[in-house]
Amino acid sequence: MRTIAMPIIRNQVAEGLKKHVSEEELCQDTRYQLPKIEFEKFAKHYHKFNISALVDVAVRAAGNGAKTCVELVKSTEDQYYKACLMKMDNGEVVVAKLLSPNVGPAFYTIASEVATRQFLRTVLKLPVPRIQAFSSDINNPIGSEYIIEEKARGEPLMKFWHLWDMPSKLDLVTQLVEFEEKLTSLRFGAHGCIYYQAHLVQKGFYASNYAASSLERQWCVPDDEPVIPSIPSCLEKFTIGPLVEARLWEGEKAGMNLDRGPWYTPLSYMKAMGTNEREWAVAHAKPQINSSRSAVQPVSLDDYISLLDKYLLLVPSLATPFFPASLSHPDLRLDNIFVDPHTEKITCITGWQAASVSAPFFQYSLPHMLTLTTNLSSKCHTDDFRPMDAAIAADLAAHYRNMSRLTNEEHWGMVNLHDRSLLYGPTALVCGAWSRNDISTFQRTLERVVTRWNDISDTESCPVHFTRHGRESLSDNSELSVAGGNTL
């Protein structure tokens, strides 16, 4: 039996500052300030894995003569992964990402990210870290699904963004636009996540036959661009499968036969979001109190089902016509963008978990890093961090929009469709509205549609009406907002 030398184990507590931790502490999810004695009780925040097996796998993946791992540093934790930097005796550094136990569909999450990133590297030639090993089976020796990847080249933009002058910031935004133009340059005819077809067949995915043997039949090349001869061979091992968004798999939904894609029109996706929520609510929704409406009387489940039926009646008039789908990055935050601090050029883009192919109508209109709220976020822990003021944020956002319109006008027009928040707001909110106890916000998006029916539909009359009782039974006095991370 091979003897595994254990590395020094540390936790990254601040930039350049590490502290020694035990193997037990390494397994803990430090995003949640739970008493140590309760970590195992709260299973979704704790997942014990075999550190010795992780070291063995990482050393083998690092290659180049690596024999032992000398240091393991837990660097980040997010909704999807616990990430560890692992330094080898030969100087090689790899990143081990262990899937969070409460992330949702473990197999699909790993399989989709692996295929998406290989697609980005080999087909679109974009700078993403190379995956050196992975497993989507929790019964592996580590006891956790994982990805071992090369360390991203460059440094996180978060470290420098507040130090750069305005010309440097504007140039970085231009690079982002060029990056997104490459993502949208090749298009698909379906909405879902990218997979290796072999992985879906292995899982017995029911829709794996729809793509024949490749993505080639779905692939659309703009009319004014030459056909790339290598496309067929690049594509024949990829396909489109279900979305891995946690909201479609959380709780009881994981065991339900819901429609998670792929979809071929915007309307089919928008309908599925409502139908899925209705099926879950009928089978599993429990009575709950909305304290802003009543401290004692539960919200009516029947009223909620009725609200979902109204959504399904309205949604055919909210969907846009078919437009070829494209891959988009789900979370362009400052710490997912790596740069060369000397040349100020983008060297790597990370954070591809849950990335999907969709019509522009469902993609963000402004990257997270350019929103003022992101720059005021508590994630910025450097002592000398100076968040952008409103004027700078507005100038950068305007530059992004202008450059996007100039370089990719058709796509930009769909992303910034007139009344987009009115048309897409209900779909953005419907999935999980009951679980979030946010039914009233969802209802108000539907009421806005009814109020402005003549502006969005050619039909003579709206199929939905809200009575005073219906409004009062679910509504509270909070202001309207759209849930979800991306800016509409």
Side-chain angles (χ1 to χ4, degrees):
M1 179 180 292
R2 180 179 175 183
T3 301
I4 305 298
M6 294 300 292
I8 297 171
I9 301 175
R10 296 189 172 104
N11 186 29
Q12 186 88 44
V13 294
E15 180 64 31
L17 182 61
K18 308 170 186 176
K19 72 172 185 177
H20 288 272
V21 295
S22 66
E23 293 187 13
E24 187 75 9
E25 290 173 309
L26 180 65
C27 295
Q28 295 173 356
D29 190 336
T30 52
R31 293 177 301 156
Y32 301 94
Q33 300 303 311
L34 297 172
K36 183 176 181 180
I37 194 172
E38 295 190 2
F39 265 99
E40 292 199 52
K41 175 181 175 183
F42 290 87
K44 71 176 184 177
H45 303 318
Y46 179 90
H47 180 59
K48 189 169 182 63
F49 53 90
N50 187 322
I51 299 174
S52 177
L54 172 63
V55 170
D56 185 37
V57 170
V59 169
R60 294 173 187 272
N64 294 326
K67 296 180 180 177
T68 61
C69 175
V70 297
E71 184 182 49
L72 188 159
V73 180
K74 182 167 73 171
S75 54
T76 60
E77 288 174 303
D78 58 26
Q79 176 187 358
Y80 290 93
Y81 293 105
K82 180 196 306 289
C84 300
L85 288 172
M86 305 184 69
K87 184 177 180 180
M88 306 301 162
D89 58 341
N90 64 349
E92 292 285 327
V93 177
V94 298
V95 178
K97 301 198 313 182
L98 302 166
L99 197 66
S100 297
N102 59 324
V103 73
F107 173 88
Y108 291 114
T109 300
I110 294 287
S112 176
E113 181 173 351
V114 167
T116 298
R117 286 170 53 180
Q118 184 67 2
F119 178 88
L120 289 163
R121 286 176 57 86
T122 61
V123 179
L124 295 181
K125 310 298 183 184
L126 290 173
V128 298
R130 181 171 61 88
I131 293 176
Q132 295 164 296
F134 71 93
S135 174
S136 56
D137 182 1
I138 195 172
N139 295 315
N140 62 56
I142 295 174
S144 173
E145 303 89 345
Y146 65 85
I147 290 176
I148 309 292
E149 61 186 47
E150 65 181 0
K151 185 177 181 293
R153 292 187 300 108
E155 298 288 339
L157 181 58
M158 175 69 79
K159 293 172 60 175
F160 310 103
W161 187 240
H162 64 290
L163 299 174
W164 286 3
D165 58 19
M166 194 62 175
S168 295
K169 285 184 167 74
L170 290 170
D171 181 67
L172 192 284
V173 171
T174 299
Q175 293 180 60
L176 274 186
V177 172
E178 293 170 349
F179 161 78
E180 291 182 328
E181 185 183 12
K182 290 180 181 178
L183 282 182
T184 61
S185 63
L186 296 172
R187 303 169 183 172
F188 304 82
H191 181 160
C193 289
I194 295 176
Y195 296 87
Y196 283 117
Q197 189 183 41
H199 288 169
L200 291 190
V201 171
Q202 169 191 341
K203 193 67 175 176
F205 182 57
Y206 72 95
S208 60
N209 292 331
Y210 93 95
S213 60
S214 71
L215 283 177
E216 183 180 354
R217 297 187 182 185
Q218 302 169 40
W219 196 271
C220 305
V221 180
D223 294 338
D224 58 345
E225 295 184 11
V227 174
I228 304 174
S230 62
I231 282 180
S233 60
C234 288
L235 294 176
E236 66 182 11
K237 56 189 174 184
F238 297 104
T239 192
I240 300 291
L243 289 183
V244 299
E245 293 179 29
R247 61 180 184 157
L248 295 174
W249 299 85
E250 59 191 358
E252 301 91 348
K253 291 178 181 177
M256 298 180 68
N257 186 25
L258 301 179
D259 182 359
R260 303 180 179 93
W263 303 277
Y264 302 98
T265 65
L267 177 57
S268 60
Y269 165 74
M270 296 168 79
K271 277 185 174 180
M273 294 301 100
T275 302
N276 288 344
E277 182 68 9
R278 193 184 193 285
E279 290 181 11
W280 172 84
V282 169
H284 299 289
K286 304 292 191 299
Q288 62 182 4
I289 297 292
N290 186 332
S291 58
S292 61
R293 185 185 64 85
S294 170
V296 294
Q297 183 179 357
V299 178
S300 168
L301 179 57
D302 289 340
D303 286 342
Y304 183 53
I305 300 297
S306 175
L307 198 63
L308 294 173
D309 289 337
K310 288 180 170 65
Y311 168 83
L312 292 170
L313 287 172
L314 291 173
V315 79
S317 296
L318 305 182
T320 61
F322 172 79
F323 188 90
S326 60
L327 182 61
S328 62
H329 192 290
D331 192 15
L332 278 173
R333 293 181 285 113
L334 292 171
D335 49 359
N336 279 332
I337 301 169
F338 286 70
V339 297
D340 183 325
H342 304 293
T343 64
E344 298 181 348
K345 299 300 182 184
I346 294 176
T347 56
C348 198
I349 302 287
T350 63
W352 292 98
Q353 54 272 16
S356 64
V357 169
S358 66
F361 183 65
F362 304 116
Q363 298 175 12
Y364 60 73
S365 60
L366 192 67
H368 280 185
M369 62 159 289
L370 296 181
T371 62
L372 184 60
T373 53
T374 294
N375 287 278
L376 295 175
S377 167
S378 60
K379 291 182 180 181
C380 310
H381 295 301
T382 54
D383 293 335
D384 59 346
F385 180 79
R386 299 187 304 276
M388 290 192 301
D389 61 33
I392 293 177
D395 287 345
L396 291 174
H399 179 66
Y400 171 84
R401 292 188 175 103
N402 290 336
M403 291 297 298
S404 296
R405 184 171 59 248
L406 288 172
T407 60
N408 202 354
E409 183 175 4
E410 189 178 24
H411 184 272
W412 183 89
M414 287 297 295
V415 170
N416 294 276
L417 197 67
H418 179 63
D419 282 336
R420 182 186 178 210
S421 63
L422 174 68
L423 300 173
Y424 182 47
T427 301
L429 288 167
V430 64
C431 187
W434 184 272
S435 300
R436 296 192 308 271
N437 203 0
D438 194 23
I439 305 158
S440 56
T441 308
F442 170 54
Q443 177 175 330
R444 284 196 297 279
T445 64
L446 297 180
E447 290 176 353
R448 290 178 61 205
V449 170
V450 172
T451 301
R452 295 190 53 191
W453 185 255
N454 291 335
D455 296 332
I456 63 176
S457 177
D458 296 330
T459 60
E460 293 184 2
S461 61
C462 180
V464 166
H465 301 280
F466 285 95
T467 64
R468 180 178 179 181
H469 167 73
R471 289 193 295 270
E472 292 176 349
S473 67
L474 289 169
S475 294
D476 58 40
N477 296 318
S478 61
E479 294 183 0
L480 177 67
S481 63
V482 174
N486 290 334
T487 302
L488 291 177

